[in-house]
Amino acid sequence: MTIETPSVAEWERWGIDPQWHRTVRIERSGVADVEWSILDTGEGLRGTIVCVHGNPTWGYLWKDFLETLSPEWRVVAVDQTGMGWSQRSTRRTLEERVAELVAFCEQHTSGPLVLVAHDWGGPVALGVVSSLDVQAVILGNTGVGLPERTKMPPLISTARRFVDLLCRRTSVFVSGTAAMTKKQFREALRAPYRKADRRAAVADFVADIPLTEKDESWLALQKSADNLSNLEVPLLLVWGGRDPVFHDRFLADLLRRAPHADVHRFPEAAHLVPLDEPMAAVASSWLDEVLGSDHSTNESVKTKRAEIGLDAFVAITEALRSRSQDQSAAFADRSGSVSWESLACEAEDIGRMLVGAGLEVGDRVAMLVPPGAELLAAAYGVWLAGGALVVADSGLGARGLRTVLRGASPKWVFGTSKTLAAARTLGWTPGARMICTSRFPRALSLKTHRSVTEQQLPSLAPGFEAAIVHTSGSTGPAKPVRYSHGALAAQRDVISESFAMSSEHGFVTSFAPFILLGPALGVPCVLPDIDVTKPSELDFDRFAQVLASSEVDVAWLSPASARRIVATAEGRKAKLRLVMLAGAPISTELATAIAAVTDADVRSPWGMTEAMPLTDGVGATQQVGDGTNTGKLLNGAQAAVVSLDDSAPQPVAAGEWGELAVHAPWMFEGYEQQWSTEHRSEILLNGVRFHRTGDLGQFAANGDLHQLGRLQHALFLAGRVVPCTLVEDPIAAILGRQVAAVGIGPKGTQVIAVVIQAEGKLRLADPETTTSVRASSAFDVAAVLEGELPVDIRHQSKVKRELLATSASAFLAGR
């Protein structure tokens, strides 16, 4: 039979090297031979990667793998029988497709073998692993059966119901799948299936999906599922978080069967993740890691980290329980105050209720309770029951919350009737059991479901997962940060030790998540009367009201709150012992101004969601001329300044600046389902795992750490890289106004544009200001603009420089 093939012009238009294409014959005993169309990059140094597509795609799906992993690997993207450009033949069952792939690998590959698969190619590839010597397996969005309490995805159930009409007679199924990716890929995906007679196998593939034990391919699918559960070789799952077919519950099911798997989830990707995201680059790094010589070293470091803090562990719930007879205020906000006794009793009741309802140690609970006393009771109740909090910033918006919450796969969701209604309507936590602070349909209610028996609460251990905390997204996409109870306990201890938090006086904060620290420290906490997503609402009057109605002597403020307090003080004082400013950059002028209003010791401790705090913040009011002085490292924290070499960063010479890498007992455990992000952020220094923070900085001669902004905001000029703060600080000091320096043009050839904060749209600064800016800068400034600086929601101080650079580039284009 003659096999139809694309022309050379078509291959080239689709970005495929025509020399990669060839046909091979597959021979099996007792059945007719069949010819497969394959894309083959040729001999590879390390072995062969065989890529298996699903339905209704073909080998083109693996375009990026063919380009990225060769010539180090021989990459072969096959077209299964009846699919792509392979021979059209009789109907194939899953068992037959598995047998053909086994035959292909035995007859046409040699040396180390890696299998990569997507969609319904997943069960095919998993079906062969028990018959071949496979070194590693990589899977895109796929499944080996319906997860518990999950219906067949509507796209598949509809296709099965009208299989001949939608999959063979018309191109609806093919075109619908192609529409899930970018426009430039769609023509190639549709090309092999232009006519009905070329779509027969597409329909057969859908009809063969087994749903019950009576279906023909049921046993073959069970074998693939068993092979996955018994898989002993490294496994990587690369997932599109917005796939309407193989959604996140399929990912959770795969992890239940193969808990050893590494995962990298692209939260905004849809079904065709091999085309839409750098899956090949992730796979390349992962193969280097798991099949290379460094794997055992990394494992030993992880084991060493897991042992940190095992001795004398005191759970973060103990301070609250120890004050269970104390009737003084533990927390206060606009709704009033709650005592330690009441808070401890409520948290224990919730914990026992959750244990009685079936919550198990390690179960994740998405927290949709607004900041306040109810959140504190709910959070500590979940911890007492052994659960792990899933926390995300409401500033992410409805779409952002859906993305991050689904990615954490919580088994429970805890909220108010309003937030649970949003979660159910918008699909934030599909399949999760609901807990409501009041009443909500089909949810456990704190009002009616109290435990009637004395449920035993588990003993917490340092290795237990405590929380998945998502970064705010102010300096990049929100990342899921995984914390253990041991790390949170170490964080509590270092804060208590370093900042002398008082069990009588307590603190006020404009950062809503920081209220969780209060019960852990055994310290009263006050949340001022503001919208927690708008810290700039905290003016002097509201601030003074908190101090007058409580005994707090510490304030933990965002720069936006501090600026507002200073601006509205009008010569008045609000005295405190300590003010901590979080959310760099912190200007010396702001630290000095808030010190004048409060007569406090003002500090700017450095830290991030992944490890907070790391420095003591001493010296915030001292002008240093190069960034923010964050003080000295806290006891137990380590930091190194490393080169900007992304492949192999090394410590730089004393006094030089570079990227800051850190290690501390209270550091996070890793990024949840972000293997590539975690891998890139880790370096080994003297056998210890350090986290690359993405912050630039240097150590001063006296040991103080100066933070110089973010690496992603650096200026990549011709022949040199310059931290943005080295340009901004001298200009801001002369002008007395906030400025931001951004790079215009491609990295490596950028020129500097300085934007000065002012109301209104971007515009050129007047000649006098432009001259002043250029005279105060040690660097050549190509353009000086004025306009509104876009800032993040949470801190209302971190300038979104990527957005500003885009706007400035557009404004300056052609000028």
Side-chain angles (χ1 to χ4, degrees):
M1 175 182 289
T2 302
I3 294 181
E4 182 178 334
T5 60
S7 67
V8 170
E10 285 177 310
W11 285 124
E12 291 176 344
R13 188 166 70 249
W14 300 336
I16 299 293
D17 186 340
Q19 296 184 27
W20 289 345
H21 178 252
R22 64 191 184 97
T23 59
V24 296
R25 181 175 296 275
I26 299 174
E27 302 174 355
R28 290 194 298 137
S29 176
V31 297
D33 295 351
V34 65
E35 289 192 346
W36 272 11
S37 170
I38 65 172
L39 298 173
D40 185 352
T41 62
E43 184 176 350
L45 300 174
R46 297 181 60 184
T48 302
I49 298 174
V50 174
C51 303
V52 187
H53 66 82
N55 186 35
T57 55
W58 57 285
Y60 175 80
L61 179 74
W62 306 106
K63 175 178 180 293
D64 200 22
F65 273 72
L66 295 161
E67 295 170 345
T68 301
L69 285 111
S70 64
E72 187 173 9
W73 292 86
R74 176 193 176 196
V75 183
V76 182
V78 303
D79 289 354
Q80 299 187 62
T81 302
M83 306 293 290
W85 305 102
S86 284
Q87 178 181 330
R88 267 50 187 167
S89 185
T90 56
R91 172 179 172 272
R92 294 297 198 268
T93 63
L94 176 57
E95 182 179 20
E96 290 169 323
R97 292 192 178 281
V98 169
E100 287 181 335
L101 183 58
V102 170
F104 169 79
C105 291
E106 290 178 339
Q107 295 164 27
H108 298 287
T109 69
S110 60
L113 176 64
V114 173
L115 292 177
V116 183
H118 175 260
D119 188 82
W120 286 101
V124 177
L126 289 169
V128 312
V129 296
S130 56
S131 303
L132 299 172
D133 184 16
V134 177
Q135 302 297 302
V137 177
I138 301 171
L139 301 175
N141 291 53
T142 187
V144 290
L146 274 179
E148 295 179 4
R149 302 172 64 191
T150 302
K151 296 180 181 179
M152 176 66 71
L155 290 177
I156 301 301
S157 59
T158 302
R160 280 177 61 85
R161 185 177 180 186
F162 305 102
V163 62
D164 192 56
L165 174 64
L166 299 181
C167 300
R168 186 187 66 83
R169 282 191 283 155
T170 70
S171 63
V172 170
F173 189 63
V174 170
S175 297
T177 301
M180 294 182 188
T181 187
K182 301 170 186 175
K183 288 184 178 180
Q184 67 261 35
F185 303 135
R186 295 174 187 173
E187 178 199 347
L189 288 172
R190 293 191 298 257
Y193 307 115
R194 294 186 180 116
K195 300 176 182 178
D197 62 348
R198 293 190 61 78
R199 294 192 292 266
V202 172
D204 292 341
F205 227 134
V206 172
D208 188 51
I209 297 172
L211 299 180
T212 70
E213 296 180 10
K214 297 179 181 179
D215 292 323
E216 186 174 6
S217 288
W218 178 262
L219 291 179
L221 185 63
Q222 297 310 300
K223 181 181 178 182
S224 295
D226 290 342
N227 284 351
L228 175 64
S229 299
N230 297 324
L231 195 66
E232 295 182 351
V233 300
L235 171 64
L236 174 66
L237 305 176
V238 183
W239 211 260
R242 302 188 72 84
D243 188 348
V245 183
F246 291 103
H247 46 66
D248 286 321
R249 279 199 257 179
F250 283 91
L251 173 59
D253 181 66
L254 296 180
L255 288 171
R256 179 182 62 82
R257 299 172 189 271
H260 74 288
D262 292 316
V263 182
H264 188 90
R265 181 177 178 271
F266 290 101
E268 296 297 330
H271 182 58
L272 297 175
V273 68
L275 283 174
D276 290 339
E277 299 291 348
M279 179 177 175
V282 174
S284 178
S285 296
W286 181 79
L287 288 171
D288 289 344
E289 175 82 5
V290 300
L291 300 183
S293 59
D294 293 336
H295 186 53
S296 60
T297 301
N298 287 338
E299 286 299 315
S300 66
V301 170
K302 290 178 182 178
T303 301
K304 183 177 179 180
R305 265 213 69 214
E307 294 172 354
I308 294 175
L310 287 176
D311 297 334
F313 168 73
V314 178
I316 53 174
T317 54
E318 287 309 301
L320 173 61
R321 301 179 86 176
S322 71
R323 301 191 70 169
S324 61
Q325 305 299 316
D326 189 341
Q327 296 183 13
S328 64
F331 174 78
D333 62 5
R334 68 178 75 181
S335 301
S337 64
V338 59
S339 69
W340 289 102
E341 180 182 44
S342 176
L343 183 58
C345 180
E346 181 72 359
E348 290 222 9
D349 280 355
I350 290 172
R352 296 185 195 282
M353 183 196 79
L354 294 177
V355 171
L359 186 144
E360 299 179 347
V361 170
D363 280 2
R364 292 179 179 174
V365 185
M367 302 302 294
L368 299 180
V369 182
E374 283 188 334
L375 173 61
L376 289 177
Y380 278 82
V382 169
W383 276 332
L384 286 167
L389 308 184
V390 178
V391 182
D393 196 316
S394 60
L396 293 172
R399 178 184 172 93
L401 286 172
R402 181 184 187 274
T403 298
V404 299
L405 292 177
R406 287 173 72 104
S409 299
K411 290 187 177 181
W412 305 75
V413 54
F414 207 141
T416 64
S417 57
K418 183 178 179 180
T419 59
L420 291 181
R424 181 174 288 172
T425 302
L426 300 176
W428 289 348
T429 55
R433 292 186 64 186
M434 291 187 163
I435 315 153
C436 187
T437 57
S438 55
R439 290 179 176 84
F440 190 73
R442 300 192 300 280
L444 290 173
S445 169
L446 298 190
K447 305 297 184 184
T448 60
H449 287 80
R450 297 297 176 143
S451 179
V452 296
T453 59
E454 190 74 4
Q455 297 289 341
Q456 184 70 32
L457 296 175
S459 296
L460 300 181
F464 285 4
E465 183 176 278
I468 304 293
V469 183
H470 292 82
T471 59
S472 67
S474 58
T475 57
K479 297 185 288 292
V481 175
R482 191 173 60 252
Y483 267 99
S484 69
H485 272 281
L488 290 187
Q491 180 191 62
R492 171 206 59 206
D493 294 343
V494 77
I495 291 174
S496 179
E497 170 191 313
S498 304
F499 304 110
M501 305 297 284
S502 167
S503 61
E504 288 78 32
H505 295 293
F507 65 95
V508 57
T509 181
S510 57
F511 286 109
F514 283 17
I515 67 173
L516 292 170
L517 285 171
L521 291 162
V523 169
C525 174
V526 179
L527 193 62
D529 185 11
I530 61 171
D531 181 339
V532 295
T533 66
K534 299 176 181 177
S536 61
E537 287 186 354
L538 183 57
D539 58 18
F540 182 89
D541 290 333
R542 288 189 172 102
F543 189 56
Q545 181 182 5
V546 169
L547 303 191
S549 60
S550 67
E551 297 184 5
V552 300
D553 65 349
V554 175
W556 210 318
L557 303 175
S558 76
S561 298
R563 278 196 295 269
R564 180 68 170 160
I565 292 167
V566 168
T568 56
E570 299 176 342
R572 293 173 291 175
K573 294 276 190 176
K575 294 190 176 183
L576 289 166
R577 176 179 64 85
L578 175 66
V579 171
M580 291 186 283
L581 299 176
I586 306 295
S587 69
T588 304
E589 291 75 17
L590 177 59
T592 302
I594 195 69
V597 172
T598 60
D599 288 340
D601 174 15
V602 176
R603 303 189 186 187
S604 57
W606 175 61
M608 64 287 303
T609 306
E610 294 86 344
M612 190 282 297
L614 291 161
T615 64
D616 60 19
V618 174
T621 58
Q622 301 170 6
Q623 187 72 48
V624 293
D626 53 356
T628 298
N629 185 6
T630 70
K632 292 180 171 56
L633 291 172
L634 297 175
N635 184 34
Q638 301 177 54
V641 182
V642 300
S643 63
L644 304 187
D645 180 3
D646 194 52
S647 58
Q650 297 296 322
V652 301
E656 293 187 5
W657 65 266
E659 184 180 6
L660 296 171
V662 299
H663 173 85
W666 54 95
M667 193 165 74
F668 77 128
E669 298 298 313
Y671 292 117
E672 176 67 9
Q673 297 183 357
Q674 291 284 296
W675 182 88
S676 182
T677 304
E678 183 174 325
H679 179 71
R680 291 197 309 271
S681 77
E682 288 184 351
I683 57 171
L684 294 180
L685 298 176
N686 298 321
V688 177
R689 171 183 174 254
F690 275 67
H691 168 62
R692 295 173 60 183
T693 65
D695 279 356
L696 299 177
Q698 64 185 18
F699 282 103
N702 67 352
D704 285 354
L705 190 152
H706 294 183
Q707 200 260 358
L708 301 173
R710 298 284 294 168
L711 174 59
Q712 68 203 66
H713 299 153
L715 307 169
F716 292 82
L717 312 179
R720 65 190 301 196
V721 180
V722 177
C724 61
T725 58
L726 296 186
V727 178
E728 295 166 353
D729 288 355
I731 297 172
I734 295 295
L735 298 183
R737 296 161 68 184
Q738 187 178 9
V739 304
V742 295
I744 306 297
K747 285 187 175 181
T749 61
Q750 288 180 342
V751 295
I752 300 172
V754 171
V755 184
I756 305 167
Q757 168 62 31
E759 293 184 358
K761 295 181 179 180
L762 282 182
R763 56 193 180 275
L764 290 173
D766 62 71
E768 183 180 349
T769 302
T770 299
T771 299
S772 177
V773 166
R774 287 174 171 157
S776 61
S777 177
F779 303 91
D780 292 333
V781 177
V784 181
L785 308 176
E786 292 183 331
E788 199 73 43
L789 298 180
V791 296
D792 68 297
I793 292 176
R794 171 56 54 213
H795 306 88
Q796 294 185 343
S797 64
K798 295 186 177 181
V799 177
K800 295 184 175 180
R801 285 175 173 79
E802 294 93 335
L803 178 61
L804 184 62
T806 300
S807 300
S809 296
F811 175 82
L812 293 169
R815 291 179 182 263

